[in-house]
Amino acid sequence: MTARNLPKLDWRVVFNRAAPPGSRGWGRVRAAQLVEMSRAMEIAAWGQTLNALIIAYMMIGRAPGHHIALWLAGLILLMHHISRTRSRLRRRPIHSIPRKTLNVAAYHSVLFGFVWGFPARYFFEFASHSQQLGICVITATMMAGAAFIFAPVPAAAAPYVLVMGAAATRMLMTSDSLLVTAIGPIYTAVMLFMVMVNGRAFIQRKCLDLALEERQEAVSLLLREYESSDADWLWQTNAKLAFQNASARFARAVGRDVEALEGSSLAELLKSVPRTDQNLRRTLAAAEAAIARRQPITDLVLPVPCGDELRSIELSARPVFSKSGRFTGYRGVGADVTEARRAADRIAHMARHDALTGLPNRLQLLDNLESALAAAQAGGEQCAVLLIDLDRFKSINDSLGHVAGDHLLQQVAQCFETVISDEMTAGRLGGDEFALVVPIVESRGELEQLCLALVGALQGPFLYREQRLFVGASIGVAIGPDDGDSVEELVRSADLALYRAKDGAGNDISFFDASFQARAEERRRIELALHGAVDAGEFSLHFQPVVEAGSLGIHSFEALLRWNNPELGQISPAKFIPIAEETGMLGRIGEWVLRTACLEAASWPAEISVAVNVSPRQLRDPGFIVTLVSALTQARLEPKRLELEVTETVFLELSDATQKMLQQIQSLGVGLAMDDFGTGYSSLGYLRKAKFDSLKIDRSFVQAMSATDPESTAIIRAVVALAGSLGMKTVAEGVATDEQLELVRTLGCDRVQGYIFSRPVSASSARAMLGRNRKRAAA
């Protein structure tokens, strides 16, 4: 940057209202202004102190004492604040600041202006003629000093001059002379002009200084690069681009001797590079164009044949011009970066491949899928992406450890090689999820055969320390562009298909169907609606009675959750409960159910209890016991009138913490019931670890019970006998006919629940039902 091409600095730039058009790094200029302003404040502080003492000395005995004290206190506080700001600036280097930071100095200058305008405005009328002259001189001196001392920041100097000028003008207006009064605005205008001139000159000078620093840094950088590595060298050419004064290191790097290198040119060196890569061809074309325009070349990496190998050399150079502007050649630095490039290639491979299996990772897979999809769309063909999830990997990983899991994943990766063709790309997305990109799909039947081959190959057995491991896989398939015309849509479609395949028992294949998207959208809408359902009061509880098998009198009610959303309508618990559990919202919903059920049960007769379903996730929450105690206390409900129902799935992950939670619940006096007994994963051993108060026989056994299905009858009889021996009550669920009622009573079930007595009803209907039950009991 020279004086000829300095940026145009109009008043908006000078007063920090804008930066010059097209300028870069203007924040550095502002930082220089602020630093210079800080230095000027040190000089100004002494002058202000002296002037303040003179004015205070003159005004003692004439102006009110509290005015003088107030003025001095304000000046001291302001100077203290500025001193602290200056100290912070000295403690840390400032390289660049935004425009608003520099404007803070302008705000400070306004405050200084008001403080120093105070004597001219308020002390002037108390002063004698000689003292008034002194105040005028000091005011004029302070204004002139601002035009020079504060010149680095015109945005700060100008407000100060304006405020002081207004005070001086007001002071001179006390004279009867119009000429004397006019001195104030004229002097103020002159000082503002000086602020503008001095400020512009400082900023232009600083621009030149910063430009010189940048050039010095560039030279220093080149020298440091040269001195830090023996592999670096300096090189130059003449105006015809022929190499001159070639170093031995440069010659060895390009596989030539010094004489041969000096007999060649930069253009010949570029032409000798084998242009096998499209990116390299573009890079060389750009370099040749820059050389033709006599522009700098930066970090140009050339693969140069050197014996039996290709060496990578990196060249950077700037054009050199004579004083008359004539091009005289290039001067630059070079380096042998062969090993660095090889390391970079290894890093690039690691960035796009999975470290454990060596397969392409998600980034590489998505790139290949994007290329396959673009080719399919251009050629009117089809491609496909397969998402593959291992079925029993988690149980193997948990039981045998991560080392076994990693070993298994490596063997799974090798299985792809035996099934897929060279055109396909198999990779690992993460965890136990893999993907396969099929660039050309001949037919759906061929794709199905590929999926079946993959399922068969991934079933195992796989060996780990002489153990045979069987895994299996679920596969979701999406075909592009039919199932998605972008990579994101295609992967989302395959993910929906995989979700459907995993619903089965494993080793399943699912092709994407448009209905999957509708179900996913419904699930998404339900999930979004769930977030505000509790606060919006959209949930309600219905109650289904549980009656004594002998007397048929109501023993308790089971609380059943219902959800009515204004947009989605009535939503089945079978739909929203799993979503709430997966998304972590079931805890809050379950707490609402528990508290609401306890409050409602508190209004019932003392002998009637309420049953509330709780999920395994709630039992794993350490805070659940606190919530339970709070709900009972708030409702003033006796613990024995509450029974918590858990399903057999709680035993899938029965940890010590869960078992302790069940014991704490019973220690409170709250009952425990095992719901849907006989259909899940329980074993008789679990009944020893967690003592239940009752077992609820699943409705599937009750509804199948008849003379033609003796197995269900035998199961119910066995459950009743087991419960009786363990001191538990039995509840037969789903009783809908008189025949079923008579059979469960004959088999010895203690209590009965089902449509034969009542469907789930509202809280008010349940209270009415209890009233009728009492009347029958009294009769």
Side-chain angles (χ1 to χ4, degrees), residues 45 111 119 255 327 352 428 433 469 591 620 638 649 662 713:
L111 294 177
F327 174 72
R352 304 180 73 86
R428 183 186 178 207
E433 189 172 358
L469 306 178
E591 180 179 350
R620 291 195 296 270
E638 295 183 26
T649 54
L662 294 174
T713 303

Side-chain angles (χ1 to χ4, degrees), residues 467-628:
Q467 296 187 59
R468 291 159 57 88
L469 306 178
F470 295 88
V471 185
S474 299
I475 301 178
V477 185
I479 300 175
D482 299 344
D483 298 335
D485 56 5
S486 69
V487 171
E488 293 77 10
E489 291 181 2
L490 201 57
V491 171
R492 183 167 61 248
S493 297
D495 196 49
L496 291 173
L498 176 62
Y499 187 83
R500 179 65 179 272
K502 290 167 66 176
D503 280 345
N507 288 342
D508 199 1
I509 302 166
S510 177
F511 282 74
F512 174 77
D513 187 86
S515 61
F516 296 176
Q517 184 63 42
R519 281 195 290 269
E521 178 62 22
E522 180 188 34
R523 173 187 171 86
R524 186 190 67 82
R525 293 178 63 194
I526 290 175
E527 181 179 339
L528 289 176
L530 272 173
H531 283 282
V534 174
D535 294 332
E538 297 174 6
F539 288 117
S540 63
L541 289 184
H542 280 205
F543 299 89
Q544 186 174 32
V546 178
V547 303
E548 296 288 352
S551 65
L552 299 184
I554 297 177
H555 170 269
S556 61
F557 283 92
E558 180 180 1
L560 301 170
L561 182 61
R562 296 292 183 264
W563 181 23
N564 186 18
N565 181 263
E567 295 182 2
L568 304 178
Q570 196 75 30
I571 305 172
S572 168
K575 284 187 176 180
F576 72 80
I577 290 295
I579 296 175
E581 187 161 14
E582 289 176 17
T583 56
M585 290 184 279
L586 189 59
R588 189 178 179 207
I589 296 173
E591 180 179 350
W592 180 89
V593 171
L594 181 61
R595 292 183 182 276
T596 305
C598 288
L599 286 171
E600 178 62 28
S603 66
W604 298 344
E607 69 274 9
I608 304 299
S609 60
V610 65
V612 177
N613 290 279
V614 293
S615 71
R617 179 167 293 189
Q618 287 177 274
L619 294 177
R620 291 195 296 270
D621 181 6
F624 178 73
I625 195 71
V626 177
T627 301
L628 176 61

Side-chain angles (χ1 to χ4, degrees), residues 138 283 595:
I138 290 175
T283 301
R595 292 183 182 276

